[in-house]
Amino acid sequence: GAGVSQSPRYKVTKRGQDVALRCDPISGHVSLYWYRQALGQGPEFLTYFNYEAQQDKSGLPNDRFSAERPEGSISTLTIQRTEQRDSAMYRCASSSGQGTRGFYGYTFGSGTRLTVV
Amino acid sequence: QKEVEQNSGPLSVPEGAIASLNCTYSDRGSQSFFWYRQYSGKSPELIMSIYSNGDKEDGRFTAQLNKASQYVSLLIRDSQPSDSATYLCAVNPLGGSQGNLIFGKGTKLSVKP
């Protein structure tokens, strides 16, 4: 697609429920990143993929968080047994992965605002 | 804990003035440095990257890097009201993977007409 698409835009869930957040990167972008951004804060790294391989998951807060990108395109971030502290904007980004600007010239999606009540 | 520090602002400058945004980082081995702009309610967008000491200019924007002082800055010349946004400094730390950027909290810039 023309941009990075994330769905849903807003998600309200009850504490203890599982949620799945979806990211559809720009067509052809090999690198896909998940960040979390709290209000008034900068984005916080969660994990990233090159193609279907998860290269770094060091930012995932705990084992309730997982991510996959099985065919090297669409990615899903799953949060199990949600807690109120998980409430934040979850942002996906992609990049071409080619050249220096390709690595870091992230195009961010509009994000998914997750609220755990 | 690797950190990126920014003054949260707000920084208010008159239209046409130079806006100076500053950032310090804790990981001395960091190699790659970035400035992102984030309009209210929108997603961050990359505006500048810098990898070596000195200045890098792109239009009205100049990024400055001093690795010895662990300091990065962004200058915006001839500031316009449309530059009003939060500016995020981001660093790829030594030993960090390609995709692992550490962002500061951002400095909110307000350009007054």
Side-chain angles (χ1 to χ4, degrees), chain A residues 14-36:
Chain A
K14 291 184 177 180
R15 186 178 47 164
Q17 297 294 307
D18 297 351
V19 295
L21 312 180
R22 172 190 163 112
C23 173
D24 191 354
I26 291 174
S27 179
H29 275 192
V30 303
S31 301
L32 184 148
Y33 315 85
W34 283 100
Y35 281 79
R36 174 170 72 174

Side-chain angles (χ1 to χ4, degrees), chain B residues 31-58:
Chain B
Q31 298 295 317
S32 308
F33 308 87
F34 309 89
W35 284 99
Y36 282 78
R37 177 176 62 199
Q38 186 170 24
Y39 291 112
S40 181
K42 302 297 184 182
S43 298
E45 58 177 326
L46 180 67
I47 55 172
M48 288 288 289
S49 59
I50 188 165
Y51 306 99
S52 53
N53 281 329
D55 295 0
K56 179 181 178 182
E57 186 175 318
D58 184 359

Side-chain angles (χ1 to χ4, degrees), chain A residues 73-91:
Chain A
S73 179
I74 292 170
S75 177
T76 302
L77 177 69
T78 301
I79 309 173
Q80 296 179 312
R81 306 181 302 280
T82 52
E83 301 177 4
Q84 285 186 323
R85 59 178 171 157
D86 300 333
S87 297
M89 176 71 83
Y90 287 81
R91 297 193 183 276

Side-chain angles (χ1 to χ4, degrees), chain A residues 50-98:
Chain A
N50 278 343
Y51 299 98
E52 73 281 0
Q54 190 171 23
Q55 299 292 329
D56 185 346
K57 56 181 181 179
S58 63
L60 296 176
N62 50 60
D63 60 8
R64 296 187 297 107
F65 287 74
S66 63
E68 63 175 6
R69 194 187 184 196
E71 297 179 358
S73 179
I74 292 170
S75 177
T76 302
L77 177 69
T78 301
I79 309 173
Q80 296 179 312
R81 306 181 302 280
T82 52
E83 301 177 4
Q84 285 186 323
R85 59 178 171 157
D86 300 333
S87 297
M89 176 71 83
Y90 287 81
R91 297 193 183 276
C92 175
S94 70
S95 70
S96 67
Q98 300 298 318

